[in-house]
Amino acid sequence: MKRLVLSALLLSSSFAVAGGAAQPVTASTLRLSAPVGTAVNYQTTTKTRVQLGDVTVTARPGAEVDQETLDLTRDAIRQGFSQNMQNMTQTVTGQATYRVTGRDAAGNVTLSTRVTQSSGAAGDITINLTERVAPNGQRQVTGVKVDSADPQVREILSKFTPEQLNALNGQQGGSANLYGMPLVQGKSRTVTNSADMQGFLGGLLGSLPGAASVDLKSSPLKVTETTTYTGLNAQGLHAFASSFSAQPWKLDFTLPGDAGNMNITLSRMSGKATMLYRRDGLLASQSTTTDMQMRLSMTMDDQVVDITMNMQQEMTLKQK
């Protein structure tokens, strides 16, 4: 369930940064021009596949553990992963709506986004995000609310502060925000963005029992993205293509006393995306593929377990 909540919130962050805008081809930059009241509905699909890589089990420094015990632990982990493989390949569907809800005399636009992600027995998670878009393309999140039809998930979400929910929006000013980007075919822009994962994960951990006894440390998640304007497609939509990669990211959990510790390292993350924008300034479609490699290291009694996992994710968003 924790993974479900994290997935939905990360997805909401992706939607928050992806809403670019378009205007007539005579304009020099991408701008939001949709009239107040304009709304666009989308169908979303996220396919995620996790594959087990290497599994190694060694004795904790200073401890004596025979090889047979180490091998049994390794085999149990591999067997457990294999038995649960059906849960490691998931397809999550959802709905999204972008709505222009206001425009002031200075040209600042209020854009509201609502994302509902379905997840079977755990119910739906809904993210409502409101942001202010300035004429020069700068975006500022002014409100974030997350809710769920599942009482247990709702209880976890209720413990997040607005600041913690906003922590994932550190990338909103990056190249994925296409407002203000020149509409010159072949023109590229490269930006490195940083998301405060310490703030977000601290909020997630803080909502769980016994969290006060766990020491959590996380580095920022820094992603470099290059976006290129590729021109108008056959339907007259503005087309963009991007590629991105992340710097290595690490998360450490330290349990009290001799209870052990665990750390997760994102050793590789890269991907590509294509985006199409309507003439009125709202997103028409987006397709993103991401490839990640993670390493999990944890101490269990006198054994140290190291696991590598590969994850591939495909996300599509299409106007209905």
Side-chain angles (χ1 to χ4, degrees), residues 250-272:
K250 190 173 183 180
L251 170 67
D252 291 301
F253 291 95
T254 301
L255 302 176
D258 297 326
N261 60 71
M262 178 177 69
N263 65 69
I264 300 173
T265 301
L266 178 65
S267 54
R268 185 187 74 245
M269 184 183 83
S270 61
K272 297 181 179 180

Side-chain angles (χ1 to χ4, degrees), residues 55-113:
V55 178
T56 60
V57 183
T58 57
R60 178 174 56 82
E64 294 185 4
V65 183
D66 60 80
Q67 189 61 47
E68 182 179 0
T69 300
L70 298 176
D71 291 342
L72 286 173
T73 300
R74 180 200 61 208
D75 294 343
I77 292 172
R78 287 192 171 277
Q79 182 179 4
F81 191 97
S82 177
Q83 290 176 345
N84 290 280
M85 182 61 73
Q86 66 272 18
N87 295 324
M88 293 296 181
T89 301
Q90 297 181 342
T91 298
V92 178
T93 60
Q95 313 291 325
T97 299
Y98 285 4
R99 187 185 303 274
V100 178
T101 58
R103 178 179 281 105
D104 63 23
N108 298 301
V109 179
T110 301
L111 183 65
S112 297
T113 303

